[in-house]
């Protein structure tokens, strides 16, 4: 089948309360993620982000509408294992995702459950640990790791399943700045190697590298576009409890003060280039 998206949400509704049909946590959500795409979902607390994450690999199935993973309907139970292999979800709290006491045993857990031969598991675990920069820690005890390291071990556990997409549900919310950088850099590296990434976050700076940004509010999609399109809608973001990246704030402030900044620099590099242009350097 041509034109098949890796992840395809079609008019999805989800309720935690089957009794109360009006209490949808997710309302009429439609979006797609293609192979190799980097999608960021922004939204304040309670806007439905974690529900979307759980709908993306059949942890939840829609109350109404459809979710397809590589053409497979997530509501069809016989697809469950194939779907979980293709789309992994990394959650907020690294401590809830670590299952073994030694790093390499933890990473091997997923592939072992798939019944993969030991020699192949060894290779997958080593490759996964190298991919997240934790290979040297393979024999370390998991409980001694920092938050960022634990989160990277959790990501390695996903990678060892050879997924085509990883959904990160606020993976940096409990981390210090260094841990946040480690995790975001890992996601960007995986994406540069061809993996699809869905990053759910409320840190605006983490959204500037996305191919596509989706803003959710009250369970609905409020806006979808490139980071530049989204961050130029400052008022819309503020009205739904979000912010703009510091670089954007600074640009807007300088423009207000009469500095002739053109366009909307998003990253520090872009802002520096714009300064150099203005100063004719
Ligand atoms: N287990 C649950 N039972 C009932 N309501 C829930 C449950 N989990 C989340 N909700 C509700 O669903 C809505 C969306 O929650 P969630 O997807 O966790 O949002 P986010 O991840 O953006 O904070 C919220 O109103 C929340 O209170
Ligand atoms: Mg959440």
């Amino acid at each position: 089948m041509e034109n098949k998206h890796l992840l395809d949400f079609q008019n999805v509704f989800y309720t935690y309360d089957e009794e109360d049909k009006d209490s949808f946590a997710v309302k009429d959500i439609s979006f797609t993620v293609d192979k190799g795409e980097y999608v960021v979902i922004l939204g304040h607390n309670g806007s439905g982000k974690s529900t979307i994450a759980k709908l993306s690999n059949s942890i939840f199935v829609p109350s109404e509408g459809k979710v397809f993973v590589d053409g497979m309907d997530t509501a069809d139970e016989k697809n469950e294992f194939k779907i979980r292999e293709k789309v992994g979800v990394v959650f907020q709290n690294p401590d809830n995702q670590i299952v073994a006491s030694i790093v390499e045993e933890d990473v091997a857990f997923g592939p072992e459950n798939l019944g993969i031969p030991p020699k192949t598991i060894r290779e997958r675990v080593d490759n996964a640990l190298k991919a997240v920069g934790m290979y040297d820690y393979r024999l370390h005890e998991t409980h001694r790791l920092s938050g960022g390291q634990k989160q990277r071990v959790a990501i390695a556990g996903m990678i060892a399943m050879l997924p085509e997409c990883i959904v990160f549900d606020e993976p940096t919310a409990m981390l210090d700045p260094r841990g946040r950088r480690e995790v975001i850099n890992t996601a960007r590296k995986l994406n540069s190697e061809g993996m699809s990434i869905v990053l759910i976050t409320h840190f605006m700076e983490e959204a500037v590298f996305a191919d596509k940004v989706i803003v959710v509010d009250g369970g609905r999609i409020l806006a979808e576009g490139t980071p530049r399109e989204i961050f130029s809608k400052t008022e819309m973001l503020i009205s739904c409890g979000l912010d703009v990246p510091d670089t954007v704030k600074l640009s807007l402030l300088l423009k207000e003060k009469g500095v002739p900044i053109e366009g909307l620099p998003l990253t520090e590099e872009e802002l520096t280039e714009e300064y150099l242009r203005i100063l004719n350097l």
Side-chain angles (χ1 to χ4, degrees):
M1 191 166 87
E2 282 303 311
N3 209 3
K4 191 168 62 179
H5 301 289
L6 184 53
L7 196 55
D8 191 355
F9 276 59
Q10 298 183 354
N11 307 100
V12 175
F13 291 73
Y14 185 83
T15 178
Y16 287 93
D17 183 1
E18 288 294 341
E19 304 290 291
D20 180 2
K21 280 296 185 189
D22 295 324
S23 70
F24 289 109
V26 158
K27 297 172 198 148
D28 202 15
I29 293 256
S30 299
F31 68 94
T32 59
V33 180
D34 286 323
K35 284 192 202 307
E37 214 176 2
Y38 193 124
V39 176
V40 166
I41 300 179
L42 296 176
H44 70 87
N45 280 343
S47 56
K49 304 183 302 297
S50 293
T51 309
I52 294 173
K54 289 174 184 149
L55 284 161
S56 67
N57 77 343
S58 76
I59 297 172
F60 292 166
V61 297
S63 307
E64 288 174 34
K66 288 281 179 198
V67 177
F68 293 98
V69 170
D70 210 9
M72 293 179 285
D73 186 344
T74 61
D76 189 343
E77 271 175 38
K78 74 175 192 313
N79 294 330
E80 192 177 296
F81 284 103
K82 276 196 175 147
I83 285 171
R84 300 263 167 90
E85 266 183 85
K86 277 197 195 276
V87 179
V89 184
V90 173
F91 293 101
Q92 194 173 94
N93 189 340
D95 289 317
N96 295 346
Q97 300 175 81
I98 302 283
V99 291
S101 55
I102 301 295
V103 167
E104 65 175 20
E105 285 169 13
D106 191 80
V107 178
F109 186 78
E112 273 167 4
N113 279 346
L114 292 178
I116 289 160
K119 185 168 167 290
T120 313
I121 292 182
R122 177 81 259 163
E123 281 168 20
R124 284 200 193 187
V125 169
D126 288 349
N127 289 338
L129 283 168
K130 284 173 190 164
V132 301
M134 288 296 289
Y135 184 68
D136 291 343
Y137 291 80
R138 63 194 177 280
L139 298 175
H140 282 225
E141 287 178 279
T142 46
H143 77 272
R144 288 179 179 274
L145 302 175
S146 71
Q149 289 172 330
K150 279 183 195 165
Q151 205 55 318
R152 284 188 286 151
V153 170
I155 297 168
M158 292 291 152
I159 297 173
M161 313 272 278
L162 305 183
E164 290 177 36
C165 178
I166 298 184
V167 177
F168 292 88
D169 186 7
E170 302 203 48
T172 63
M174 305 182 77
L175 306 182
D176 60 16
R178 179 183 171 159
R180 282 174 56 192
R181 260 197 314 279
E182 289 171 359
V183 169
I184 294 304
N185 288 342
T186 303
R188 290 184 67 196
K189 175 166 165 274
L190 292 172
N191 179 249
S192 73
E193 291 161 358
M195 197 182 293
S196 305
I197 301 291
V198 178
L199 173 64
I200 296 169
T201 185
H202 60 248
F203 293 113
M204 299 302 119
E205 317 83 82
E206 296 178 357
V208 299
F209 305 109
D211 296 314
K212 178 160 86 190
V213 178
I214 296 170
V215 180
V216 291
D217 190 37
R220 293 185 185 278
I221 292 183
L222 207 65
E224 179 176 333
T226 63
R228 212 174 298 282
E229 285 163 354
I230 295 298
F231 289 127
S232 59
K233 298 176 183 162
T234 317
E235 277 171 22
M236 181 268 293
L237 291 170
I238 290 170
S239 77
C240 63
L242 295 171
D243 206 350
V244 293
D246 287 340
T247 42
V248 173
K249 256 189 237 163
L250 187 56
S251 302
L252 294 173
L253 196 69
L254 288 170
K255 274 190 195 193
E256 230 177 82
K257 300 269 173 204
V259 180
I261 289 180
E262 279 177 13
L264 191 64
L266 290 181
T267 61
E268 285 174 25
E269 288 76 16
E270 286 175 11
L271 193 55
T272 307
E273 262 176 42
E274 190 53 15
Y275 289 153
L276 294 175
R277 188 192 64 79
I278 290 167
L279 296 169
N280 239 333
L281 293 174

